[in-house]
Amino acid sequence: MCGIVGYIGNREALPILLKGLKRLEYRGYDSAGVALNNGGIKIFKCQGKVADLENHIGTQNASGSIGMGHTRWATHGVPNDINAHPHSSQKGHFTLIHNGIIENYAELKSKLQHRGYEFKSDTDTEVLVNLIEYIYLKGNITPEIAIRLALSKVEGAYGLVILCDKEPETIFAARKGSPLVIGVGDNEYFLASDATPIVEYTKSVIYLNDNDVAVIKKNELKLKNIKNDILTPKIQKLDLELGQIDKNGFDHFMLKEIYEQPKSILDTYRGRINTNSNELTLGGLYDILPKIEHARRIIIIGCGTSWHAGMVGEYLIEELARIPVEVEYASEFRYRNPILYKDDIVIAISQSGETADTLAAIKMAKEAGATVLGICNVVGSSIPRETDGGVYTHAGPEIGVASTKAFTAQVTVLTMIAILLGRRRKTVDDNLYSSLINGLLALPEKIEEVLKSNDIIKEVSSHFYEATNCLYLGRGYLFPVALEGALKLKEISYIHAEGYPAAEMKHGPIALIDEKMPVIVIATKDSSYDKVVSNIQEVKARKGIVLAIVTKGDTVIKNMADYVIEIPETPEQLSALLSVIPLQLLSYHIAIMRGCNVDQPRNLAKSVTVE
Ligand code: G6P
């Protein structure tokens, strides 16, 4: 949700800002802008992507060694040149970029209007920059004090970078709810929403905490909170390599990330499954395991794909560990006044670790006294810092907006948690334990095998790309896969798709089926296989077009379905991890055939830091 970058040092800022913004485009891409301070603040901004901004700047003089940049995902005001960031205050003393939402902007705006302020844009950000200026001029105080006082009046979330004409050698930054990382260089500092724009310049980073305000000169960093307490910056080593954030020869990040899954799954269980003894350990849960083991119930929260992973987690934990599990959309959970007990275990799942609704739900669960665990991908992000323990997925940076490798990594972690709990609770016997551990260890190779069907999947996609609707069906562990498959298709190809438990088809969706309706059935050989075969027959009887994902060697469904994609056999409890791969590829190819931008689908953003 909006990407922000900043630089202060001795180099030309513009190339650093533009390169950084391109890395952050996954966070939003409907307009972009930069501000440079070179004896006066100059702003360049326009609707469109960072490449459009580059064209817009063209050969104009945009030099300066202090600057900031923004790529926007619109919340207040349509994407256009005026609403693009940076925004300047009326008298031009402050210029600001913002990620987040100022919730009390309307009240603040009307107060400022009464005091003579006029607004050019429809954004909440312009309200904030004018509030800072108003407080600054009225109080005759330093810019830093004005910023802190203004922020104390603000409700909502922000990651901010601010320039002030009266302090041309300084860049200000502040965070509440929206992430901000500072890269520490040699007489230079970098700022960004995540570490990807920073990694090629320095590995020393400081993650800002909520209510932190940083006052940065090229050779000095002062960290305070908004109450003016002086804080000691905690410098951490960045565990990220430049190679991880390139496309590595793939046409799109999404495709690269689909193909990375044999490795990302291996990285998820690496060091956690001892390949000699088959013992499973999850260090981040070590102290809390006895509590989870005896939990009365577990509540899993997440949004989007992470919620789908949570559903697989529910089936896994209930089957293997026999602990009741509820799965909730974080956005519903946080507002519906749920019943929470002190002995509840809440597991928050989030790729980014920054999703606003998930973060708010965590805070609520903590206030109620529950134990909160995180399953996150981005190391050092907000959710792992808020939780009592957890497990990183270690899938590596996921840049494609449609989540792929993060999903399989989350499900891998949930599988390990379920097995571990089942082992401790003696609900998983030795045979099942070894079959699951061996199944996990064999997954990377099996995924490689599925990826070899890419050409077949591409060919099948050519029969579906003109569809206007699609139905995805699955039962048991494959029902969440149906939901995830449908979501992937909607997100990147804009084809309307629904995921359903196969048997529920009879209670509504069957009315939609005719000779134009593609039905994608995940029908691998598991305990519901026979029932799913009947569901396929019901679809065929109504002339629906069936694409079935089947277990290698299946002949029954092959004779019934219009198209089949085979995947290797795996224990039923691991079937989600394998069967989702062809669905990811199917969406990818369909989106490409429809001419869609798969890495930057319209209206979406990867990291949803606003509610
Ligand atoms: C956005 C992304 C999805 C993601 C969801 C939750 O909608 O586009 O891919 O599943 O947010 O994000 P999280 O980072 O919490 O997993």
Side-chain angles (χ1 to χ4, degrees), residues 303-306 349-353 355 401 403 410 491 605-606 608:
C303 302
T305 290
S306 297
I349 307 179
S350 173
Q351 186 288 128
S352 61
T355 301
V401 167
S403 184
Q410 290 163 346
E491 280 181 309
K606 180 120 195 102
V608 181

Side-chain angles (χ1 to χ4, degrees), residues 428-495:
V428 167
D429 65 21
D430 288 351
N431 285 342
L432 181 57
Y433 182 80
S434 346
S435 126
L436 292 172
I437 295 289
N438 290 331
L440 276 175
L441 295 176
L443 266 175
E445 210 173 297
K446 289 185 181 172
I447 294 175
E448 292 286 6
E449 203 179 322
V450 180
L451 294 172
K452 285 192 187 130
S453 306
N454 185 39
D455 288 344
I456 299 172
I457 298 169
K458 191 172 174 185
E459 204 285 316
V460 170
S461 306
S462 68
H463 301 278
F464 289 89
Y465 81 100
E466 286 176 317
T468 44
N469 292 291
C470 259
L471 198 57
Y472 284 70
L473 303 177
R475 295 180 86 122
Y477 289 103
L478 304 177
F479 163 49
V481 177
L483 293 175
E484 177 58 10
L487 177 64
K488 288 292 85 93
L489 192 72
K490 287 190 267 228
E491 280 181 309
I492 58 169
S493 72
Y494 319 138
I495 295 175

Side-chain angles (χ1 to χ4, degrees), residues 131 135 139 141 143-154 226:
L131 178 68
I135 291 174
I141 48 183
E144 180 204 316
I145 297 175
I147 290 167
R148 283 192 284 102
L149 285 178
L151 293 181
S152 66
K153 298 190 185 310
V154 155
I226 57 172

Side-chain angles (χ1 to χ4, degrees), residues 295-313:
R296 183 158 33 146
R297 65 167 179 177
I298 293 174
I299 301 168
I300 300 181
I301 52 171
C303 302
T305 290
S306 297
W307 183 81
H308 294 157
M311 277 198 73
V312 183

Side-chain angles (χ1 to χ4, degrees), residues 120-121 145 307 374 467 478 486 521 532 562:
K120 296 184 274 245
S121 77
I145 297 175
W307 183 81
L478 304 177
V521 191
V532 176
D562 299 85

Side-chain angles (χ1 to χ4, degrees), residues 37-335:
N37 197 346
N38 191 7
I41 296 168
K42 249 186 170 176
I43 295 178
F44 302 88
K45 59 181 187 172
C46 64
Q47 185 181 347
K49 304 208 160 143
V50 179
D52 298 308
L53 174 67
E54 242 174 329
N55 289 336
H56 169 70
I57 297 171
T59 52
Q60 298 182 70
N61 178 6
S63 61
S65 51
I66 302 177
M68 61 193 187
H70 187 269
T71 176
R72 180 171 186 243
W73 185 87
T75 57
H76 291 64
V78 296
N80 62 23
D81 294 354
I82 295 172
N83 289 333
H85 298 214
H87 289 278
S88 285
S89 55
Q90 192 154 293
K91 298 197 169 59
H93 293 309
F94 292 88
T95 303
L96 179 153
I97 53 175
H98 169 216
N99 167 29
I101 290 185
I102 307 301
E103 284 167 5
N104 57 340
Y105 82 99
E107 175 200 331
L108 296 171
K109 186 172 184 175
S110 115
K111 282 186 184 156
L112 287 166
Q113 279 166 328
H114 279 111
R115 286 167 182 129
Y117 272 84
E118 283 172 15
F119 293 86
K120 296 184 274 245
S121 77
D122 307 314
T123 63
D124 50 343
T125 307
E126 196 187 1
V127 176
L128 177 56
V129 75
N130 279 316
L131 178 68
I132 297 171
E133 182 177 270
Y134 171 74
I135 291 174
Y136 171 69
L137 292 175
K138 186 166 173 257
N140 198 14
I141 48 183
T142 65
E144 180 204 316
I145 297 175
I147 290 167
R148 283 192 284 102
L149 285 178
L151 293 181
S152 66
K153 298 190 185 310
V154 155
E155 284 162 25
Y158 52 77
L160 298 170
V161 183
I162 309 166
L163 296 175
C164 174
D165 65 346
K166 300 289 182 200
E167 286 202 20
E169 304 299 323
T170 307
I171 196 162
F172 301 89
R175 172 203 155 124
K176 186 180 166 203
S178 299
L180 209 49
V181 190
I182 300 176
V184 184
D186 204 5
N187 284 324
E188 60 183 352
Y189 290 93
F190 305 82
L191 288 141
S193 300
D194 72 31
T196 56
I198 295 174
V199 60
E200 67 201 87
Y201 308 108
T202 176
K203 290 273 175 93
S204 302
V205 292
I206 299 162
Y207 293 96
L208 290 194
N209 289 312
D210 278 353
N211 298 316
D212 282 0
V213 178
V215 183
I216 311 168
K217 298 187 191 308
K218 69 180 179 189
N219 48 15
E220 182 196 47
L221 180 141
K222 275 195 300 176
L223 193 63
K224 294 187 172 177
N225 59 22
I226 57 172
K227 291 190 201 137
N228 201 23
D229 300 320
I230 294 171
L231 307 172
T232 310
K234 191 173 153 217
I235 300 182
Q236 301 187 28
K237 272 274 154 287
L238 199 57
D239 183 19
L240 179 71
E241 295 303 327
L242 202 52
Q244 291 178 285
I245 52 175
D246 283 339
K247 284 192 204 139
N248 279 346
F250 284 89
D251 288 343
H252 297 96
F253 281 111
M254 183 185 179
L255 191 61
K256 176 195 165 214
E257 287 154 8
I258 292 173
Y259 271 82
E260 274 175 348
Q261 290 174 104
K263 178 169 182 305
S264 53
I265 286 192
L266 195 134
D267 287 343
T268 304
Y269 66 64
R270 192 196 298 281
R272 289 164 171 165
I273 301 176
N274 181 324
T275 42
N276 294 322
S277 64
N278 270 0
E279 272 319 304
L280 187 56
T281 23
L282 294 170
L285 297 186
Y286 193 79
D287 295 334
I288 313 169
L289 259 182
K291 205 167 174 181
I292 315 176
E293 185 188 332
H294 296 109
R296 183 158 33 146
R297 65 167 179 177
I298 293 174
I299 301 168
I300 300 181
I301 52 171
C303 302
T305 290
S306 297
W307 183 81
H308 294 157
M311 277 198 73
V312 183
E314 174 188 11
Y315 287 24
L316 283 164
I317 296 171
E318 290 210 342
E319 183 191 341
L320 298 177
R322 309 303 295 154
I323 301 173
V325 180
E326 289 165 28
V327 187
E328 299 250 12
Y329 285 115
S331 54
E332 285 296 308
F333 183 72
R334 64 180 284 202
Y335 284 120

